[in-house]
Amino acid sequence: MNAKKKNIAIIGANEFQNPLILAAKEMGYTTHVFAWQAGDVGEKTADYFYPVSIVELDRILDICRKLDLAGIVSIGSDLASITVNYVAEKLGLTGNGMDSALAATNKHRMRLAFERAGLPSCRSRLVGSPEEAEALALPYPVIVKPTDRSGSRGIFKVTEDGQLRHAVEQAMAHSFEKKALVEEFAQGREYSIEYISWQGQHHFLACTEKFTTGAPLFVETGHLQPPLHMTEETLAEIQALVPRVLDCLGVRFGASHTELKIDEKGGIKLIECGARMGGDCIGSDLVQISRGVDFVKGCVDVACGRAPMLTPAHEGRVAAIRFIFSQRDLDSLAYIRSHYPQALCRVSDILPLDGREISDSSTRYGFFILSAATMAEMLEILRHVDFDLN
Protein backbone atom coordinates (compact mmCIF):
# COMPACT_ATOMS: atom_id res chain seq x y z
CA MET A 1 0.00 0.00 0.00
CA ASN A 2 2.70 2.45 1.07
CA ALA A 3 5.69 0.38 -0.02
CA LYS A 4 7.23 3.13 -2.17
CA LYS A 5 7.07 5.80 0.51
CA LYS A 6 10.07 5.72 2.83
CA ASN A 7 9.23 8.32 5.49
CA ILE A 8 7.83 7.10 8.80
CA ALA A 9 6.73 9.13 11.82
CA ILE A 10 7.54 7.75 15.28
CA ILE A 11 5.98 9.13 18.44
CA GLY A 12 8.34 8.99 21.42
CA ALA A 13 12.13 8.99 21.77
CA ASN A 14 12.98 7.30 25.08
CA GLU A 15 14.93 4.09 25.59
CA PHE A 16 11.84 1.90 25.18
CA GLN A 17 11.03 3.59 21.84
CA ASN A 18 14.58 3.47 20.51
CA PRO A 19 14.36 -0.14 19.21
CA LEU A 20 11.50 1.04 16.98
CA ILE A 21 13.61 3.87 15.57
CA LEU A 22 16.53 1.53 14.91
CA ALA A 23 14.29 -1.15 13.34
CA ALA A 24 12.63 1.34 11.00
CA LYS A 25 16.02 2.65 9.89
CA GLU A 26 17.26 -0.90 9.31
CA MET A 27 14.18 -1.50 7.14
CA GLY A 28 15.16 1.48 4.96
CA TYR A 29 12.81 4.13 6.35
CA THR A 30 13.72 7.71 7.10
CA THR A 31 12.62 8.26 10.69
CA HIS A 32 10.86 11.44 11.81
CA VAL A 33 10.66 11.28 15.59
CA PHE A 34 8.47 13.50 17.80
CA ALA A 35 8.95 13.93 21.54
CA TRP A 36 9.46 16.46 24.28
CA GLN A 37 13.18 17.31 24.23
CA ALA A 38 14.69 15.63 27.28
CA GLY A 39 18.04 14.28 26.09
CA ASP A 40 16.60 10.83 25.30
CA VAL A 41 18.53 8.41 23.11
CA GLY A 42 16.00 8.60 20.26
CA GLU A 43 16.78 12.29 19.77
CA LYS A 44 20.19 11.20 18.51
CA THR A 45 19.31 8.00 16.64
CA ALA A 46 16.42 9.59 14.68
CA ASP A 47 17.10 10.84 11.17
CA TYR A 48 14.99 13.89 12.02
CA PHE A 49 13.99 14.84 15.55
CA TYR A 50 11.16 17.29 16.28
CA PRO A 51 11.12 18.71 19.85
CA VAL A 52 7.32 18.64 20.08
CA SER A 53 5.37 17.14 22.98
CA ILE A 54 3.48 14.03 21.95
CA VAL A 55 0.24 15.57 23.24
CA GLU A 56 0.42 18.42 20.68
CA LEU A 57 -1.68 16.50 18.19
CA ASP A 58 -2.41 19.24 15.68
CA ARG A 59 1.15 20.53 15.65
CA ILE A 60 2.42 17.02 14.89
CA LEU A 61 -0.30 16.60 12.27
CA ASP A 62 0.74 19.82 10.51
CA ILE A 63 4.34 18.62 10.27
CA CYS A 64 3.32 15.14 9.15
CA ARG A 65 1.16 16.54 6.33
CA LYS A 66 4.38 17.71 4.66
CA LEU A 67 6.29 14.43 5.00
CA ASP A 68 4.52 12.07 2.55
CA LEU A 69 4.46 9.36 5.19
CA ALA A 70 4.26 5.61 4.69
CA GLY A 71 2.95 5.30 8.24
CA ILE A 72 3.00 6.51 11.83
CA VAL A 73 3.74 4.28 14.82
CA SER A 74 4.75 4.06 18.47
CA ILE A 75 5.34 1.22 20.92
CA GLY A 76 4.72 0.87 24.63
CA SER A 77 2.85 4.14 25.31
CA ASP A 78 -0.90 4.67 25.73
CA LEU A 79 -0.51 8.41 25.37
CA ALA A 80 1.46 8.08 22.15
CA SER A 81 -1.11 5.68 20.68
CA ILE A 82 -3.71 8.46 20.79
CA THR A 83 -1.42 10.70 18.75
CA VAL A 84 -0.66 7.87 16.32
CA ASN A 85 -4.33 7.16 15.66
CA TYR A 86 -5.26 10.84 15.43
CA VAL A 87 -2.65 11.53 12.75
CA ALA A 88 -3.31 8.23 10.95
CA GLU A 89 -7.05 8.95 10.80
CA LYS A 90 -6.50 12.47 9.47
CA LEU A 91 -3.97 11.38 6.82
CA GLY A 92 -5.60 8.12 5.75
CA LEU A 93 -2.80 5.96 7.13
CA THR A 94 -3.16 2.54 8.74
CA GLY A 95 -4.60 2.74 12.24
CA ASN A 96 -7.53 1.79 14.45
CA GLY A 97 -9.21 5.21 14.54
CA MET A 98 -9.86 7.52 17.44
CA ASP A 99 -12.89 5.72 18.84
CA SER A 100 -10.78 2.60 19.30
CA ALA A 101 -7.79 4.58 20.59
CA LEU A 102 -9.89 6.23 23.30
CA ALA A 103 -11.53 2.94 24.29
CA ALA A 104 -8.09 1.32 24.64
CA THR A 105 -6.52 4.17 26.64
CA ASN A 106 -9.34 5.23 28.98
CA LYS A 107 -9.87 2.51 31.56
CA HIS A 108 -13.48 3.51 32.28
CA ARG A 109 -14.47 3.33 28.60
CA MET A 110 -12.61 0.03 28.43
CA ARG A 111 -14.53 -1.43 31.39
CA LEU A 112 -17.83 -0.41 29.79
CA ALA A 113 -16.80 -2.09 26.52
CA PHE A 114 -15.83 -5.26 28.39
CA GLU A 115 -19.18 -5.29 30.21
CA ARG A 116 -21.15 -4.80 26.98
CA ALA A 117 -19.26 -7.72 25.42
CA GLY A 118 -19.87 -9.97 28.41
CA LEU A 119 -16.14 -10.40 29.12
CA PRO A 120 -14.78 -11.47 32.55
CA SER A 121 -13.74 -8.02 33.73
CA CYS A 122 -13.18 -6.61 37.21
CA ARG A 123 -16.15 -4.63 38.51
CA SER A 124 -15.37 -0.91 38.78
CA ARG A 125 -16.88 2.50 39.52
CA LEU A 126 -15.85 5.88 38.12
CA VAL A 127 -15.31 8.65 40.68
CA GLY A 128 -14.42 12.33 40.45
CA SER A 129 -13.70 12.99 44.12
CA PRO A 130 -12.74 11.18 47.33
CA GLU A 131 -16.28 11.83 48.61
CA GLU A 132 -17.79 9.91 45.68
CA ALA A 133 -15.48 6.99 46.42
CA GLU A 134 -16.32 6.99 50.13
CA ALA A 135 -20.05 6.95 49.33
CA LEU A 136 -19.69 3.70 47.35
CA ALA A 137 -19.18 1.56 50.47
CA LEU A 138 -17.47 -1.14 48.42
CA PRO A 139 -16.03 -4.24 50.12
CA TYR A 140 -12.27 -4.15 50.61
CA PRO A 141 -9.72 -4.67 49.23
CA VAL A 142 -10.11 -2.43 46.17
CA ILE A 143 -7.72 -1.06 43.57
CA VAL A 144 -7.73 2.68 42.91
CA LYS A 145 -6.18 3.86 39.65
CA PRO A 146 -6.24 6.83 37.23
CA THR A 147 -8.59 6.37 34.29
CA ASP A 148 -5.99 7.28 31.68
CA ARG A 149 -2.42 6.47 32.74
CA SER A 150 -0.06 3.50 32.33
CA GLY A 151 3.29 2.40 33.74
CA SER A 152 1.92 1.67 37.26
CA ARG A 153 1.37 5.40 37.84
CA GLY A 154 -1.07 6.28 40.58
CA ILE A 155 -2.20 2.72 41.37
CA PHE A 156 -2.98 1.78 44.97
CA LYS A 157 -4.40 -1.22 46.80
CA VAL A 158 -6.76 -0.02 49.54
CA THR A 159 -7.64 -2.33 52.41
CA GLU A 160 -9.51 0.01 54.79
CA ASP A 161 -11.51 3.25 54.89
CA GLY A 162 -8.62 5.34 56.16
CA GLN A 163 -6.55 4.70 53.01
CA LEU A 164 -9.23 5.48 50.45
CA ARG A 165 -9.16 9.30 50.37
CA HIS A 166 -5.39 9.51 49.87
CA ALA A 167 -5.46 6.84 47.15
CA VAL A 168 -8.22 8.60 45.21
CA GLU A 169 -6.50 11.97 45.53
CA GLN A 170 -3.24 10.52 44.23
CA ALA A 171 -4.90 8.62 41.38
CA MET A 172 -6.81 11.75 40.30
CA ALA A 173 -3.58 13.78 40.47
CA HIS A 174 -1.96 11.37 38.01
CA SER A 175 -5.00 11.33 35.70
CA PHE A 176 -5.13 13.68 32.72
CA GLU A 177 -8.89 13.96 33.06
CA LYS A 178 -8.67 14.06 36.91
CA LYS A 179 -10.82 11.00 37.45
CA ALA A 180 -10.22 7.63 39.06
CA LEU A 181 -11.58 4.11 39.04
CA VAL A 182 -12.33 2.14 42.19
CA GLU A 183 -12.24 -1.54 41.27
CA GLU A 184 -12.57 -4.92 42.89
CA PHE A 185 -9.18 -6.43 43.64
CA ALA A 186 -8.57 -9.45 41.42
CA GLN A 187 -6.78 -12.32 43.15
CA GLY A 188 -4.12 -14.45 41.49
CA ARG A 189 -1.02 -14.27 39.36
CA GLU A 190 -0.70 -11.51 36.79
CA TYR A 191 0.08 -12.07 33.12
CA SER A 192 0.15 -10.08 29.91
CA ILE A 193 -0.72 -11.40 26.47
CA GLU A 194 1.02 -10.01 23.38
CA TYR A 195 -0.78 -10.01 20.02
CA ILE A 196 -0.35 -8.35 16.64
CA SER A 197 -3.36 -7.70 14.39
CA TRP A 198 -3.68 -7.23 10.66
CA GLN A 199 -7.01 -6.37 9.02
CA GLY A 200 -8.92 -7.67 12.02
CA GLN A 201 -7.05 -11.00 12.20
CA HIS A 202 -5.38 -11.38 15.59
CA HIS A 203 -2.12 -13.31 15.92
CA PHE A 204 -0.89 -14.58 19.30
CA LEU A 205 2.79 -13.92 19.99
CA ALA A 206 3.56 -14.53 23.66
CA CYS A 207 2.34 -14.80 27.23
CA THR A 208 4.33 -12.95 29.89
CA GLU A 209 4.31 -13.68 33.61
CA LYS A 210 4.62 -10.47 35.63
CA PHE A 211 6.32 -9.89 38.96
CA THR A 212 5.66 -6.76 41.01
CA THR A 213 6.45 -5.10 44.32
CA GLY A 214 2.92 -6.00 45.44
CA ALA A 215 0.69 -3.76 47.49
CA PRO A 216 0.29 -0.89 47.67
CA LEU A 217 1.97 0.31 44.41
CA PHE A 218 2.44 -2.84 42.26
CA VAL A 219 5.50 -1.59 40.37
CA GLU A 220 6.83 -4.26 38.00
CA THR A 221 10.10 -5.82 39.20
CA GLY A 222 10.48 -8.25 36.29
CA HIS A 223 8.87 -10.33 33.56
CA LEU A 224 9.27 -13.90 32.29
CA GLN A 225 8.44 -15.44 28.89
CA PRO A 226 7.05 -18.05 28.55
CA PRO A 227 5.24 -18.09 31.91
CA LEU A 228 6.31 -20.50 34.62
CA HIS A 229 2.96 -21.13 36.30
CA MET A 230 0.40 -21.36 33.46
CA THR A 231 -1.12 -24.61 32.16
CA GLU A 232 -1.64 -25.34 28.47
CA GLU A 233 -5.40 -25.49 29.09
CA THR A 234 -5.45 -22.00 30.62
CA LEU A 235 -3.30 -20.62 27.79
CA ALA A 236 -5.76 -22.03 25.24
CA GLU A 237 -8.63 -20.38 27.13
CA ILE A 238 -6.78 -17.06 27.05
CA GLN A 239 -6.08 -17.39 23.33
CA ALA A 240 -9.82 -17.76 22.78
CA LEU A 241 -10.58 -14.76 25.02
CA VAL A 242 -8.13 -12.09 23.83
CA PRO A 243 -9.43 -11.82 20.23
CA ARG A 244 -12.86 -11.05 21.73
CA VAL A 245 -11.22 -8.33 23.83
CA LEU A 246 -9.58 -6.79 20.77
CA ASP A 247 -12.79 -6.96 18.74
CA CYS A 248 -14.83 -5.22 21.43
CA LEU A 249 -12.27 -2.37 21.54
CA GLY A 250 -12.18 -2.03 17.75
CA VAL A 251 -8.52 -3.05 17.45
CA ARG A 252 -7.90 -4.23 13.88
CA PHE A 253 -4.28 -3.25 13.29
CA GLY A 254 -1.01 -3.37 15.18
CA ALA A 255 0.26 -4.48 18.55
CA SER A 256 -1.80 -5.14 21.67
CA HIS A 257 -0.96 -5.88 25.28
CA THR A 258 -3.71 -7.45 27.40
CA GLU A 259 -3.24 -7.71 31.17
CA LEU A 260 -5.16 -10.24 33.25
CA LYS A 261 -5.08 -12.22 36.47
CA ILE A 262 -5.70 -15.92 37.01
CA ASP A 263 -6.78 -17.19 40.42
CA GLU A 264 -5.99 -20.55 42.03
CA LYS A 265 -9.08 -22.12 40.45
CA GLY A 266 -8.16 -20.96 36.95
CA GLY A 267 -10.66 -18.08 36.88
CA ILE A 268 -9.65 -15.23 34.58
CA LYS A 269 -10.24 -11.55 35.26
CA LEU A 270 -9.31 -8.91 32.67
CA ILE A 271 -7.36 -5.97 34.06
CA GLU A 272 -6.93 -3.89 30.89
CA CYS A 273 -5.89 -3.97 27.25
CA GLY A 274 -3.67 -1.47 25.47
CA ALA A 275 -3.63 -1.21 21.67
CA ARG A 276 0.13 -1.01 21.79
CA MET A 277 3.14 -3.19 22.41
CA GLY A 278 3.86 -4.07 26.01
CA GLY A 279 6.37 -1.69 27.56
CA ASP A 280 9.22 -2.76 29.83
CA CYS A 281 10.95 -4.35 26.79
CA ILE A 282 8.24 -7.05 26.68
CA GLY A 283 7.49 -6.47 23.02
CA SER A 284 10.76 -5.00 21.84
CA ASP A 285 13.07 -7.66 23.33
CA LEU A 286 11.39 -10.54 25.16
CA VAL A 287 9.07 -11.60 22.31
CA GLN A 288 11.97 -11.77 19.87
CA ILE A 289 13.96 -13.94 22.30
CA SER A 290 11.09 -16.24 23.30
CA ARG A 291 9.37 -16.62 19.92
CA GLY A 292 11.97 -15.69 17.32
CA VAL A 293 9.56 -13.10 15.87
CA ASP A 294 10.62 -9.48 15.41
CA PHE A 295 7.58 -7.79 16.96
CA VAL A 296 9.02 -4.32 16.40
CA LYS A 297 9.51 -4.78 12.67
CA GLY A 298 6.01 -6.30 12.54
CA CYS A 299 4.64 -3.07 14.00
CA VAL A 300 6.50 -1.04 11.36
CA ASP A 301 5.08 -3.26 8.61
CA VAL A 302 1.50 -2.89 9.85
CA ALA A 303 1.81 0.87 10.27
CA CYS A 304 3.03 1.11 6.69
CA GLY A 305 0.15 -0.93 5.29
CA ARG A 306 1.74 -4.39 5.01
CA ALA A 307 1.02 -7.72 6.68
CA PRO A 308 3.59 -8.46 9.40
CA MET A 309 6.22 -11.16 8.94
CA LEU A 310 5.48 -13.70 11.68
CA THR A 311 7.71 -16.61 10.64
CA PRO A 312 10.20 -17.24 13.47
CA ALA A 313 13.80 -16.45 12.59
CA HIS A 314 15.15 -18.81 15.28
CA GLU A 315 14.01 -21.29 17.88
CA GLY A 316 12.36 -19.80 20.92
CA ARG A 317 14.27 -19.42 24.17
CA VAL A 318 13.29 -18.41 27.70
CA ALA A 319 13.51 -14.66 28.27
CA ALA A 320 13.46 -12.57 31.44
CA ILE A 321 13.92 -8.95 32.42
CA ARG A 322 14.82 -7.68 35.89
CA PHE A 323 14.48 -4.03 36.86
CA ILE A 324 16.96 -2.37 39.16
CA PHE A 325 15.58 -1.09 42.45
CA SER A 326 18.55 -1.34 44.80
CA GLN A 327 22.20 -2.24 45.32
CA ARG A 328 21.09 -5.86 45.69
CA ASP A 329 19.97 -5.84 42.05
CA LEU A 330 23.29 -4.35 40.94
CA ASP A 331 25.07 -7.10 42.88
CA SER A 332 22.92 -9.68 41.04
CA LEU A 333 23.90 -8.14 37.73
CA ALA A 334 27.59 -8.27 38.67
CA TYR A 335 27.22 -11.95 39.64
CA ILE A 336 25.58 -12.78 36.30
CA ARG A 337 28.29 -10.90 34.38
CA SER A 338 30.85 -13.06 36.18
CA HIS A 339 29.14 -16.47 36.24
CA TYR A 340 26.54 -16.45 33.40
CA PRO A 341 27.82 -13.93 30.82
CA GLN A 342 26.27 -15.94 27.98
CA ALA A 343 22.80 -15.32 29.45
CA LEU A 344 23.08 -11.54 29.48
CA CYS A 345 21.40 -10.06 26.39
CA ARG A 346 21.09 -6.37 27.19
CA VAL A 347 21.83 -3.95 30.00
CA SER A 348 20.27 -0.49 30.04
CA ASP A 349 21.93 2.69 31.11
CA ILE A 350 21.79 2.57 34.91
CA LEU A 351 21.03 5.70 36.91
CA PRO A 352 22.90 6.43 40.15
CA LEU A 353 21.19 4.92 43.19
CA ASP A 354 19.98 8.04 44.98
CA GLY A 355 17.60 6.44 47.49
CA ARG A 356 14.38 7.78 45.95
CA GLU A 357 11.10 5.90 46.32
CA ILE A 358 10.35 3.66 43.35
CA SER A 359 6.75 4.77 42.92
CA ASP A 360 6.10 3.72 39.29
CA SER A 361 7.93 2.25 36.30
CA SER A 362 9.50 5.59 35.30
CA THR A 363 11.39 5.86 38.62
CA ARG A 364 13.31 2.56 38.40
CA TYR A 365 17.09 2.79 37.95
CA GLY A 366 17.52 0.52 34.92
CA PHE A 367 17.21 -3.11 33.83
CA PHE A 368 18.96 -6.16 32.44
CA ILE A 369 17.62 -8.84 30.09
CA LEU A 370 18.44 -12.54 30.28
CA SER A 371 18.08 -15.47 27.89
CA ALA A 372 18.36 -19.24 28.41
CA ALA A 373 17.76 -22.33 26.30
CA THR A 374 15.35 -23.95 28.79
CA MET A 375 13.21 -22.94 31.74
CA ALA A 376 15.37 -25.10 34.03
CA GLU A 377 18.45 -23.18 32.92
CA MET A 378 16.68 -19.84 33.45
CA LEU A 379 15.50 -20.85 36.92
CA GLU A 380 19.07 -21.72 37.86
CA ILE A 381 20.18 -18.23 36.80
CA LEU A 382 17.25 -16.55 38.56
CA ARG A 383 18.25 -18.18 41.86
CA HIS A 384 20.86 -15.42 41.97
CA VAL A 385 18.39 -12.67 41.10
CA ASP A 386 15.68 -11.21 43.36
CA PHE A 387 12.75 -12.91 41.59
CA ASP A 388 10.00 -14.28 43.85
CA LEU A 389 8.97 -17.21 41.66
CA ASN A 390 6.75 -19.00 44.19
Side-chain angles (χ1 to χ4, degrees):
M1 186 183 298
N2 293 316
K4 294 182 180 179
K5 297 181 180 181
K6 301 306 290 185
N7 290 316
I8 188 168
I10 293 173
I11 308 301
N14 64 20
E15 185 165 23
F16 291 126
Q17 298 287 345
N18 195 51
L20 177 62
I21 299 170
L22 298 179
K25 293 177 71 169
E26 185 180 332
M27 295 168 74
Y29 289 97
T30 299
T31 55
H32 299 262
V33 176
F34 298 81
W36 183 263
Q37 191 160 21
D40 287 324
V41 61
E43 298 175 21
K44 303 177 184 66
T45 57
D47 294 301
Y48 297 94
F49 176 70
Y50 304 84
V52 180
S53 169
I54 66 173
V55 301
E56 295 187 65
L57 277 63
D58 287 314
R59 189 175 173 196
I60 293 174
L61 174 62
D62 288 342
I63 297 170
C64 287
R65 287 188 191 278
K66 304 170 185 175
L67 296 179
D68 194 27
L69 294 175
I72 181 168
V73 65
S74 184
I75 56 175
S77 168
D78 284 338
L79 193 57
S81 70
I82 294 174
T83 307
V84 166
N85 281 284
Y86 180 79
V87 174
E89 190 170 80
K90 295 291 186 180
L91 299 184
L93 301 172
T94 301
N96 293 310
M98 284 301 291
D99 287 345
S100 176
L102 293 174
T105 54
N106 185 287
K107 294 175 176 58
H108 179 56
R109 293 190 186 205
M110 189 183 301
R111 285 273 177 257
L112 294 178
F114 290 168
E115 289 173 12
R116 287 193 297 268
L119 300 174
S121 172
C122 296
R123 293 168 295 174
S124 70
R125 298 290 294 272
L126 178 70
V127 298
S129 70
E131 291 76 18
E132 284 185 44
E134 290 167 343
L136 295 176
L138 295 175
Y140 293 111
V142 296
I143 291 290
V144 177
K145 62 176 68 171
T147 55
D148 51 6
R149 293 304 299 266
S150 58
S152 303
R153 295 175 180 87
I155 298 178
F156 299 88
K157 181 182 179 182
V158 175
T159 59
E160 58 185 48
D161 287 337
Q163 301 169 345
L164 185 60
R165 173 171 287 271
H166 173 73
V168 172
E169 288 173 345
Q170 290 298 306
M172 290 175 58
H174 280 84
S175 170
F176 295 112
E177 65 176 4
K178 304 306 176 189
K179 293 183 180 179
L181 286 183
V182 181
E183 303 185 336
E184 69 170 312
F185 177 71
Q187 302 289 343
R189 297 186 184 276
E190 189 169 357
Y191 300 88
S192 68
I193 318 299
E194 324 309 325
Y195 267 72
I196 191 166
S197 301
W198 170 248
Q199 296 180 340
Q201 296 297 309
H202 309 302
H203 304 279
F204 169 79
L205 292 177
C207 178
T208 311
E209 187 162 354
K210 306 180 69 164
F211 302 88
T212 77
T213 56
L217 299 177
F218 298 96
V219 182
E220 286 91 345
T221 58
H223 304 291
L224 180 66
Q225 278 184 14
L228 177 62
H229 295 100
M230 183 177 291
T231 66
E232 289 296 325
E233 292 78 11
T234 300
L235 181 59
E237 189 176 351
I238 289 170
Q239 288 174 304
L241 172 65
V242 172
R244 295 174 59 203
V245 173
L246 299 176
D247 287 342
C248 88
L249 296 176
V251 177
R252 302 186 67 250
F253 294 98
S256 61
H257 173 77
T258 303
E259 297 179 349
L260 50 82
K261 279 191 170 184
I262 302 174
D263 65 25
E264 292 182 352
K265 297 180 179 180
I268 298 171
K269 280 292 179 73
L270 289 168
I271 306 300
E272 58 191 60
C273 174
R276 55 169 174 81
M277 186 181 290
D280 282 0
C281 301
I282 291 171
S284 59
D285 293 74
L286 301 193
V287 168
Q288 188 165 14
I289 295 168
S290 73
R291 291 299 304 277
V293 174
D294 196 322
F295 196 3
V296 178
K297 288 184 177 179
C299 290
V300 173
D301 279 333
V302 171
C304 295
R306 292 193 305 272
M309 174 62 71
L310 300 178
T311 303
H314 60 76
E315 281 193 27
R317 294 172 61 84
V318 181
I321 184 169
R322 169 66 201 193
F323 295 95
I324 294 170
F325 284 65
S326 66
Q327 183 61 48
R328 182 177 178 181
D329 298 321
L330 290 180
D331 293 343
S332 296
L333 174 58
Y335 186 91
I336 289 169
R337 285 190 193 276
S338 174
H339 292 80
Y340 300 98
Q342 75 283 356
L344 201 56
C345 296
R346 181 180 169 199
V347 180
S348 72
D349 292 336
I350 298 173
L351 299 174
L353 301 183
D354 59 10
R356 66 178 179 270
E357 180 188 16
I358 306 300
S359 58
D360 59 54
S361 61
S362 68
T363 57
R364 298 171 301 198
Y365 293 102
F367 62 84
F368 54 93
I369 296 175
L370 303 168
S371 170
T374 65
M375 183 62 78
E377 183 181 327
M378 178 62 78
L379 294 179
E380 169 61 26
I381 296 168
L382 293 181
R383 288 198 307 111
H384 306 284
V385 181
D386 189 18
F387 259 70
D388 182 7
L389 296 171
N390 296 320

